[in-house]
Amino acid sequence: TIIGAGGTAPNQALGAEHSQPLHAYVMGIPGLKICTAASPDAAYGITKSMIRDNGPCFLFCPVKMMKESKGKVDLDKCMPLNKAALLHEASQSAVDSGNAVTVLTYLHGVKEAQLSIDEIKAEGFDIDLIELRTLKPLDMETISKSLARTNKLCILDESTKSGGVGATISAAVSEELFDLLDAPVKRLCMDDAPVPYASSMEEAVVKRGADLVQGVFDICTKKW
Amino acid sequence: MISLARSTLNASRRMAASATATASPQFQLASRSMSSEATFDLTGSFETHKLETAPNNEITMSKEELIGHFKLMYTMRRMEITCDNEYKARNIRGFCHLYDGQEAVATGIQAAFSPDDSWITSYRCHCIALARGGTVATVLAELFGNSGGMTKGKGGSMHFYSKENNFFGGQGIVGAQVPVGAGLAFANKYNAKPGEDMNVAIGCYGDGAANQGQIWESANMASLWKLPMIFCIENNQYGMGTSIDRHSSHSDYYKMGNHIPGIRIDGMNVLAVKEGMRFVKDFCGKGNGPMYVEMMTYRYHGHSMSDPGTTYRNREEIAMTRSTRDPLEFVKKTMIDAGFADADEIKAMEKEIRKEVQKEVLKAKEFPLPAPESLFDYVYAKDLVAENQEMPNHIRMPNYEKSFWAS
């Protein structure tokens, strides 16, 4: 079991080498179970399961959230290594009017998405926020349940366009859940360029809450 | 903890004591009258490993040279202190690793090297960037994230670079610069003109990085192929927060090459660094293979700006080093003793440099922010093959007739 605090937080100004998505690089290694945890209870539960698991496992935690993230932990509870978590459900009215989007995210994106829910609602939209606690294997069941309601998918991804986590998910969804999609999968990910140090430029490269609000707006107003 | 700190301090004290005891310069009467050149004693500044020759025990330096070294070192010191303040004012973000205390190492290497020698170092690179083609303005502008910075604001503190000055960074990942440095040495050997000394390549890294597997690997290849590679360990006694006793089973870093010769140099004495590096450059440039160089030095700040630097070492140690081994104080004393300058002249120089640095900082703040479109600049190498580019004559293609091989 390897536990690492990493990821690519928005607005960290660390330059190219410290913004590389290791979680994306290991996705292709067969036999690994790769999970992410953005809250203490997830970190605790997943770690317990990983230690008891007989195979090699990777747990990624968001480095810039380690100090501030607080919450209750269910002691002695082991969490499953193949289940995503639905953190916020879109209201039925938003779903019925076609203004709901399924948002998949992980690591720092969880905090970014949670903080932008109010703004999204103010714009007249809503989201089913799913934290991908497991990147590999992907929990297609939870994703398809939500997609059946919203029919639109947006991924807030902290890896690059080429070979990133979002790319893998987008491909899997289009292959297995094509009939549930009313729009192409929207991927908010990093460009294929070294992440710049200057904060003014980093803003455009590392996608964050504001980009999610725009993405939800675009996908619901058919801008693709 | 304190006893561990003391034992490492004693090791460096022993070296420093022998160096400082004899470092109040003994100069020859002949040059005294001119006061424009003097010879300084360097006994005790060097320890060698598997070497039959050694650097000279004295160095002759002119007044201009030594004053030049002092000015560069003092500029480095003021620049690093400015970075400290600017970081606390949040004008510099991300990571910031300061080099104050180690100025003599960078200055001495720069003095011994030619502009054609390649230099690659770690993230503690502001002062080396300054020495290698940077100005305080371009360094600070980079740290502020402006387009006037050395890497156009895209690199930040850890990714300085200047190809035309043969400065290859500024590398963020610990130890990763060393195999790249071996590659630079390979390029220097490949491009060397027959009959001339090769340009050397130096890869600077810390004591914390010294046990990285990739370094042993590149040392093996450098030794096999007799590359002009200098493995330079800047031993400041701590790998981040871990003292050398606690992170390395073997603290004689200059002996880490086993069969590869090594030399330990007092890194707080810029004169010793210059003479030592002159010797090393000569040795490696003549094709004798790589060398391990250990610079005994010290950093006053913590590992980075998020490290107060006092949880793993006591303030007494820092203060002690500042008062007995400070590289700037040493140069000042040397200049005064040699009659190159008196205390008032030095004070005037310092005041001048302080003002200069402040001016440069203001200049740095005025550059515009980088344009977002510049994100994709320099991601791919420009097409290097111009239509009528002349290939060096040891390359057979594309025109065999024109090459060295056809004759």
Side-chain angles (χ1 to χ4, degrees), chain A:
Chain A
T1 303
I2 302 179
I3 303 178
T8 307
N11 204 23
Q12 62 180 9
L14 292 181
E17 286 169 314
H18 285 75
S19 309
Q20 287 171 323
L22 180 64
H23 45 280
Y25 298 164
V26 300
M27 286 282 279
I29 303 176
L32 283 188
K33 296 183 191 68
I34 306 170
C35 293
T36 66
S39 52
D41 59 328
Y44 176 83
I46 293 176
T47 305
K48 279 182 85 73
S49 302
M50 284 187 167
I51 293 173
R52 283 155 183 72
D53 188 271
N54 279 328
C57 305
F58 243 111
L59 173 61
F60 289 98
C61 298
V63 64
K64 293 291 182 191
M65 284 166 62
M66 297 296 276
K67 283 190 186 155
E68 52 176 61
S69 190
K70 298 190 194 325
K72 282 208 169 126
V73 166
D74 230 336
L75 284 183
D76 295 333
K77 176 143 182 243
C78 294
M79 283 193 173
L81 296 181
N82 59 354
K83 282 244 141 290
L86 181 65
L87 297 181
H88 177 268
E89 213 171 348
S91 64
Q92 194 56 47
S93 56
V95 171
D96 293 335
S97 57
N99 286 329
V101 177
T102 301
V103 172
L104 301 180
T105 189
Y106 57 101
L107 292 178
H108 300 94
V110 173
K111 175 177 154 202
E112 292 290 311
Q114 282 173 327
L115 289 177
S116 49
I117 290 182
D118 285 341
E119 199 181 330
I120 293 174
K121 285 195 171 147
E123 299 265 329
F125 306 106
D126 206 347
I127 60 173
D128 262 6
L129 178 58
I130 296 178
E131 180 190 351
L132 292 167
R133 297 230 171 114
T134 70
L135 296 182
K136 187 168 165 170
L138 212 48
D139 182 3
M140 292 306 267
E141 210 185 294
T142 308
I143 298 174
S144 67
K145 235 169 79 182
S146 170
L147 204 51
R149 292 176 79 215
T150 67
N151 304 118
K152 295 179 276 299
L153 183 59
C154 183
I155 307 174
L156 180 56
D157 178 20
E158 55 192 68
S159 51
T160 43
K161 192 151 173 224
S162 297
V165 172
T168 309
I169 301 173
S170 179
V173 165
S174 357
E175 284 162 16
E176 297 170 34
L177 305 173
F178 184 70
D179 291 326
L180 297 177
L181 287 172
D182 279 350
V185 174
K186 181 132 191 100
R187 241 188 331 153
L188 301 164
C189 56
M190 305 201 283
D191 298 86
D192 284 335
V195 176
Y197 159 77
S199 303
S200 54
M201 289 177 81
E202 195 193 11
E203 231 175 6
V205 177
V206 184
K207 308 296 186 283
R208 53 201 73 186
D211 299 290
L212 181 62
V213 176
Q214 184 68 47
V216 168
F217 178 87
D218 287 344
I219 203 178
C220 288
T221 55
K222 297 203 175 19
K223 283 194 189 60
W224 58 73

Side-chain angles (χ1 to χ4, degrees), chain B residues 20-189:
Chain B
T20 48
T22 48
S24 47
Q26 277 109 60
F27 38 85
Q28 291 148 8
L29 278 173
S31 48
R32 190 181 194 161
S33 53
M34 289 184 57
S35 219
S36 64
E37 200 179 75
T39 305
F40 305 99
D41 183 38
L42 298 173
T43 322
S45 306
F46 309 112
E47 281 173 42
T48 59
H49 167 74
K50 296 261 163 81
L51 273 171
E52 272 141 31
T53 48
N56 298 330
N57 268 332
E58 55 177 30
I59 181 173
T60 304
M61 205 176 265
S62 73
K63 175 173 158 180
E64 287 72 40
E65 255 187 292
L66 189 55
I67 291 185
H69 293 334
F70 169 71
K71 284 187 172 171
L72 180 58
M73 285 167 65
Y74 194 71
T75 309
M76 288 177 177
R77 177 67 63 92
R78 292 312 310 167
M79 185 177 79
E80 293 296 72
I81 292 178
T82 307
C83 291
D84 182 333
N85 295 330
E86 292 292 337
Y87 191 89
K88 289 181 174 142
R90 294 177 164 224
N91 294 326
I92 300 177
R93 301 191 58 225
F95 292 154
C96 188
H97 307 87
L98 299 178
Y99 199 74
D100 54 322
Q102 300 182 210
E103 299 92 352
V105 175
T107 308
I109 295 175
Q110 174 66 3
F113 271 19
S114 90
D116 296 324
D117 293 316
S118 305
W119 198 339
I120 191 170
T121 185
S122 67
Y123 42 77
R124 204 176 295 283
C125 58
H126 303 169
C127 295
I128 297 168
L130 179 68
R132 278 262 153 166
T135 61
V136 177
T138 55
V139 170
L140 263 297
E142 183 61 36
L143 295 170
F144 293 144
N146 297 336
S147 56
M150 215 176 184
T151 40
K152 320 257 186 280
K154 297 201 280 179
S157 166
M158 296 183 283
H159 307 101
F160 282 96
Y161 202 92
S162 172
K163 175 141 193 256
E164 56 274 10
N165 295 102
N166 288 310
F167 172 56
F168 297 92
Q171 301 285 324
I173 307 301
V174 174
Q177 68 270 22
V178 184
V180 180
L184 292 168
F186 182 88
N188 282 345
K189 180 166 183 177

